[in-house]
Amino acid sequence: MARRVVVFNEGQARLFENKYLEMLTKGNPILIWSMYIPILGYLVFRAHSVYGLSVLLTAGLFVCGMIYWTFFEYIAHRYLFHMVSENIRMKKVAYIMHGNHHEYPKDKDRLFMPPVPSLILSSALFGLHYLILWDYNWAFFPGFMFGYLLYASMHYAIHAFEPPFEFMRPLWRNHQMHHYRDEHLGYGVSNTFWDKVFGTTFDLKKHKEDKEQADALKFDK
């Protein structure tokens, strides 16, 4: 049975006793964007100039990667970040990856994956995707990672300010209610499409919005 999530609005989780490991758990949006854009640009360049993919095919694969990210985002959030396990180690892993964000939603430092873990994980994912897509992955994977950057930025924005456009309000509401109503619904952050496909959207007749709790999720100014 889904449980109602209690929101703690102050402080920052301590994930490791070692100060250097603790430092590696934090990431800055500007740093992550600055780190990845040159890398993704280089991958796209190689797709076209080294592996001979046409501009149209490269662009198409890039867009497909972005779309695929939205599905990956949903699956990872639902089954990895919110894994249900009695194993203490697995619980610890889930807490480090995501659980701490539910306890400390105002923590700005952990909305983007930190640089070192991010590079390690993205390299591993590149290798896995390459086994399936071969040379096409040079164009596909940059789109996938660009989708991640948009997702992380959207997540940051939802915790930072009100939606800039009315059509974006359902995204804000979906994630905010994921925090304060039910963490087993509303897994989509960059979109609500897969929540609708898999039946994990909020029923606004049963799950009422609470503006006070939604505002409590936002960063302190």
Side-chain angles (χ1 to χ4, degrees):
M1 180 181 294
R3 65 183 178 85
R4 187 177 185 277
V5 179
V6 177
V7 178
F8 299 94
N9 293 316
E10 304 298 334
Q12 184 179 73
R14 178 83 183 193
L15 301 182
F16 295 101
E17 290 300 321
N18 184 289
K19 66 178 182 180
Y20 299 109
L21 285 178
E22 183 71 3
M23 219 162 43
L24 292 177
T25 67
K26 301 174 185 180
N28 179 277
I30 296 175
L31 173 62
I32 302 302
W33 272 91
S34 299
M35 178 181 76
Y36 269 114
I37 289 303
I39 295 173
L40 302 186
Y42 174 70
L43 295 180
V44 171
F45 171 78
R46 283 184 65 87
H48 177 62
S49 63
V50 177
Y51 294 97
L53 303 184
S54 70
V55 172
L56 185 60
L57 179 58
T58 298
L61 287 168
F62 188 94
V63 172
C64 286
M66 290 180 62
I67 294 171
Y68 169 66
W69 162 262
T70 66
F71 176 70
F72 183 92
E73 168 195 329
Y74 178 88
I75 294 299
H77 193 178
R78 181 173 182 177
Y79 296 108
L80 186 60
F81 296 166
H82 286 279
M83 72 170 75
V84 177
S85 174
E86 296 303 317
N87 184 285
I88 294 177
R89 289 184 179 177
M90 295 306 293
K91 286 182 177 180
K92 177 68 173 177
V93 169
Y95 183 80
I96 290 173
M97 288 191 301
H98 188 66
N100 71 89
H101 171 60
H102 276 263
E103 283 195 3
Y104 302 95
K106 290 186 177 183
D107 183 359
K108 297 180 181 181
D109 296 331
R110 294 193 172 113
L111 290 178
F112 278 72
M113 184 171 285
V116 174
S118 179
L119 286 172
I120 293 172
L121 181 58
S122 61
S123 297
L125 287 172
F126 178 88
L128 289 173
H129 285 87
Y130 191 83
L131 292 175
I132 300 170
L133 297 170
W134 295 95
D135 292 345
Y136 295 116
N137 195 44
W138 292 96
F140 179 87
F141 195 74
F144 174 80
M145 288 304 300
F146 190 70
Y148 161 72
L149 292 174
L150 293 179
Y151 146 81
S153 299
M154 177 67 74
H155 194 187
Y156 194 97
I158 290 172
H159 285 275
F161 47 77
E162 290 295 309
F165 304 103
E166 188 61 29
F167 75 87
M168 300 179 79
R169 189 166 298 279
L171 286 175
W172 262 245
R173 181 180 64 205
N174 195 59
H175 184 65
Q176 289 166 347
M177 293 181 75
H178 171 76
H179 271 280
Y180 70 77
R181 282 287 179 241
D182 190 341
E183 67 179 13
H184 300 297
L185 294 173
Y187 295 104
V189 176
S190 67
N191 69 95
T192 59
F193 176 78
W194 296 108
D195 278 309
K196 293 173 183 174
V197 170
F198 293 109
T200 51
T201 54
F202 285 97
D203 182 348
L204 295 181
K205 293 180 181 178
K206 294 190 302 183
H207 304 96
K208 301 298 183 184
E209 293 182 78
D210 187 324
K211 189 174 188 317
E212 183 178 346
Q213 292 206 63
D215 288 342
L217 296 168
K218 291 185 174 60
F219 304 145
D220 292 324
K221 296 181 180 179

